[in-house]
């Protein structure tokens, strides 16, 4: 049986996988799952406006200061709750990539009126996440504003050659090489039984092995009752055996197919090494062209050019656009508070897509005399302008320069 619902092998991670649904024991009503998904993802203007009012209503919000273990780079996030799971965790991960580990987190409640007066949490870098209208009432000097999230969307041409030309040469070469080594096939199965197999054996183990306790995903009732009925499920098989899959959701007009949940069998790293994970995207784009689907949306990510998923998906030729849901009007604003070597290292290592005065997006790279801009982290995507380089000497002008902290 192709999709036998048996217990998954333990993922290759020291952390446990999130709980999976029991076979044939889905008793959660469909309506709450559908309402939850609609509230979080609907592009309808009325629901987006309602979500904006609800999210912007609190007069006080939680501030979290993430202390670096040796005090070299403390980062604070304040604002929308979603940013504590999305933005702050990413910033901690980026800090960790520079050899600075997270020690502890400190929590407090702050009033928007105090933030508007420039009273920010005590940290080297403060990031505020809010609706764009709320941010308009906060100080903007010596700051950079970016989207809360972005989407990467591929416009599918009618001709295969045109689709191939949008993909980077190296990516095309790697896919062809990997495809020659495997007996890959692309199959479609939108049955609940197939979804259970995918969710238990592919998606949850992959999330656990790749992200551990930072893992975030849609719960089973949402996948079963909100995504699958308005989407479809694809599998990549190798010699008839499913090795990877993706659950997609259709837009109401069926002009956009959005990837929602992905995974490889048992979260096994070898399916990344042999190209199966990347092959899912290539096969999906080819299938969309054959079916006349106008757009494939690779879903959301944070607006940092340095993020690995951005660097990988960028090679497939997507446009960068704001999300169609309530995140379209949400922003983050970065405030440097102290001029330190660690913060300079951090900003140079993590260029981002920032809003310009006219609202458009442009890649922003920081630099100084000792730190060249990280142009090797390319932001090249259709429709994006050339990178803007920002000298840190000007960006940090007037900030205090404390004595360096040694570990």
């Amino acid at each position: 049986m192709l999709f036998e619902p048996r217990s998954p092998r333990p993922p290759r991670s020291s952390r446990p996988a999130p709980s999976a649904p029991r076979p044939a024991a889905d008793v959660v009503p469909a309506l709450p799952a559908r309402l939850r998904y609609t509230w979080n993802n609907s592009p309808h203007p009325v629901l987006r406006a309602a979500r904006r009012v609800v999210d912007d209503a609190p007069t006080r919000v939680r501030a979290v200061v993430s202390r670096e273990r040796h005090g070299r780079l403390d980062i604070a996030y304040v604002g929308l709750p979603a940013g504590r799971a999305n933005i702050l965790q990413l910033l901690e991960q980026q800090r960790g990539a520079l050899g600075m580990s997270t020690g502890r987190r400190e929590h407090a409640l702050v009033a928007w009126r105090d933030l508007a007066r420039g009273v920010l949490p005590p940290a080297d870098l403060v990031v505020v996440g809010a609706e764009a209208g709320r941010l308009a009432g906060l100080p903007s000097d010596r700051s950079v504003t970016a989207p809360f999230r972005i989407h990467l969307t591929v416009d599918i041409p009618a001709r295969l050659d045109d689709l191939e030309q949008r993909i980077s040469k190296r990516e095309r070469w790697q896919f062809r090489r990997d495809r020659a080594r495997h007996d890959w096939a692309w199959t479609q199965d939108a049955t609940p039984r197939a979804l259970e197999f995918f969710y238990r054996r592919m998606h949850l183990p992959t999330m656990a092995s790749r992200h551990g306790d930072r893992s975030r995903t849609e719960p089973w009732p949402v996948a079963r009752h909100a995504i699958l009925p308005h989407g479809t499920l694809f599998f990549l098989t190798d010699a008839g055996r499913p090795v990877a899959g993706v659950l997609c959701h259709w837009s109401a007009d069926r002009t956009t197919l959005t990837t929602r949940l992905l995974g490889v069998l048992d979260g096994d790293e070898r399916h990344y090494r042999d190209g199966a994970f990347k092959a899912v995207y290539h096969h999906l784009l080819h299938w969309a062209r054959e079916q006349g689907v106008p757009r494939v949306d690779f879903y959301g990510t944070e607006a940092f050019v340095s993020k690995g998923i951005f660097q990988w998906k960028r090679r497939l030729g997507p446009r960068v656009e704001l999300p169609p849901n309530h995140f379209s009007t949400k922003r983050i604003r970065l405030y440097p508070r102290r001029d330190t070597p660690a913060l300079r290292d951090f900003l140079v290592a993590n260029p981002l897509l920032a809003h310009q005065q006219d609202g458009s997006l442009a890649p922003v790279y920081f630099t100084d005399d000792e730190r060249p801009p990280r142009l090797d982290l390319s932001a090249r995507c259709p429709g994006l302008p050339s990178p803007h380089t920002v000298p840190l000497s000007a960006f940090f002008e007037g900030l205090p320069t404390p004595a360096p902290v040694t570990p």
Side-chain angles (χ1 to χ4, degrees):
M1 184 180 297
L2 184 60
F3 302 116
E4 182 181 358
R6 55 193 174 90
S7 300
R9 300 172 188 170
R12 299 194 174 195
S13 170
S14 60
R15 303 180 178 92
S19 59
R22 296 181 180 180
D26 183 16
V27 297
V28 179
L31 182 58
R34 291 170 181 163
L35 290 176
R36 169 177 173 160
Y37 188 81
T38 300
W39 181 245
N40 289 330
N41 295 279
S42 175
H44 195 284
V46 173
L47 286 174
R48 283 173 47 178
R51 179 64 185 262
R52 184 165 61 247
V53 170
V54 170
D55 289 345
D56 203 32
T59 58
R60 298 202 302 169
V61 288
R62 184 176 299 278
V64 182
V65 180
S66 175
R67 301 292 183 189
E68 199 274 329
R69 191 173 301 278
H70 301 288
R72 287 176 290 176
L73 179 58
D74 294 337
I75 300 174
Y77 172 82
V78 56
L80 294 165
R84 296 196 290 272
N86 293 346
I87 305 301
L88 183 58
Q89 285 189 4
L90 174 61
L91 297 176
E92 289 176 330
Q93 184 179 7
Q94 291 170 328
R95 182 176 61 187
L98 296 175
M100 295 178 281
S101 58
T102 301
R104 68 184 189 279
R105 285 183 172 187
E106 299 171 357
H107 300 257
L109 286 177
V110 298
W112 281 116
R113 65 175 181 271
D114 292 331
L115 294 171
R117 294 189 295 110
V119 181
L120 299 176
D124 301 301
L125 177 66
V126 177
V127 180
V128 180
E131 289 288 342
R134 175 73 74 175
L135 279 184
L138 302 187
S140 59
D141 294 342
R142 201 186 296 111
S143 68
V144 59
T145 301
F148 203 97
R149 291 182 71 76
I150 57 171
H151 276 218
L152 299 169
T153 303
V154 178
D155 296 313
I156 306 297
R159 297 178 63 250
L160 178 60
D161 287 347
D162 293 337
L163 176 63
E164 292 286 338
Q165 288 303 312
R166 298 188 180 191
I167 301 172
S168 73
K169 290 182 180 179
R170 180 172 179 81
E171 188 57 41
R172 296 199 307 266
W173 175 82
Q174 288 181 336
F175 174 61
R176 290 166 182 164
R177 179 201 62 187
D178 295 337
R179 184 174 55 185
R181 297 173 177 175
H182 297 275
D183 184 16
W184 282 337
W186 189 243
T187 64
Q188 185 177 358
D189 190 339
T191 64
R193 188 177 186 85
L195 177 66
E196 182 187 319
F197 175 89
F198 165 77
Y199 196 84
R200 289 167 53 82
R201 293 291 307 278
M202 292 183 175
H203 179 63
L204 291 185
T206 296
M207 295 300 292
S209 65
R210 302 296 288 184
H211 304 291
D213 56 9
R214 297 178 184 266
S215 175
R216 302 183 304 274
T217 189
E218 296 286 5
W220 167 254
V222 170
R224 169 65 184 87
H225 296 299
I227 303 178
L228 185 65
H230 303 283
T232 193
L233 178 61
F234 299 96
F235 289 96
L236 180 73
T237 64
D238 192 354
R241 178 173 178 254
V243 294
V246 56
L247 176 63
C248 300
H249 189 270
W250 285 105
S251 61
D253 59 6
R254 295 186 71 85
T255 61
T256 302
L257 187 62
T258 300
T259 60
R260 292 297 286 113
L261 305 180
L262 293 97
V264 297
L265 188 64
D266 298 327
D268 195 329
E269 285 290 333
R270 66 181 171 179
H271 297 309
Y272 286 85
R273 295 193 299 268
D274 68 12
F277 181 79
K278 290 185 176 182
V280 167
Y281 288 88
H282 287 270
H283 280 277
L284 182 62
L285 292 177
H286 287 187
W287 180 90
R289 188 200 64 82
E290 293 167 358
Q291 300 299 316
V293 178
R295 290 165 26 112
V296 172
D297 185 345
F298 291 150
Y299 203 57
T301 187
E302 290 75 23
F304 285 89
V305 174
S306 57
K307 191 172 181 182
I309 198 68
F310 177 89
Q311 285 296 309
W312 142 240
K313 291 180 179 179
R314 184 194 64 78
R315 300 174 189 171
L316 300 175
R319 288 184 294 103
V320 175
E321 56 187 33
L322 296 178
N325 57 20
H326 66 96
F327 281 114
S328 64
T329 56
K330 291 176 169 62
R331 306 284 185 266
I332 59 171
R333 181 169 293 167
L334 283 66
Y335 294 96
R337 305 297 290 162
R338 301 195 305 167
D339 183 354
T340 69
L343 182 53
R344 285 177 176 252
D345 290 342
F346 182 88
L347 291 177
V348 170
N350 295 289
L352 74 166
L353 302 176
H355 282 283
Q356 307 304 292
Q357 289 186 348
D358 62 358
S360 64
L361 294 176
V364 171
Y365 291 74
F366 292 97
T367 184
D368 63 17
D369 292 340
E370 300 177 359
R371 301 167 177 85
R374 289 294 307 273
L375 297 176
D376 56 304
L377 297 170
S378 176
R380 185 179 302 169
C381 288
L384 281 183
S386 300
H388 293 188
T389 56
V390 176
L392 285 171
S393 57
F395 191 58
F396 284 170
E397 185 176 3
L399 288 180
T401 54
V405 176
T406 56

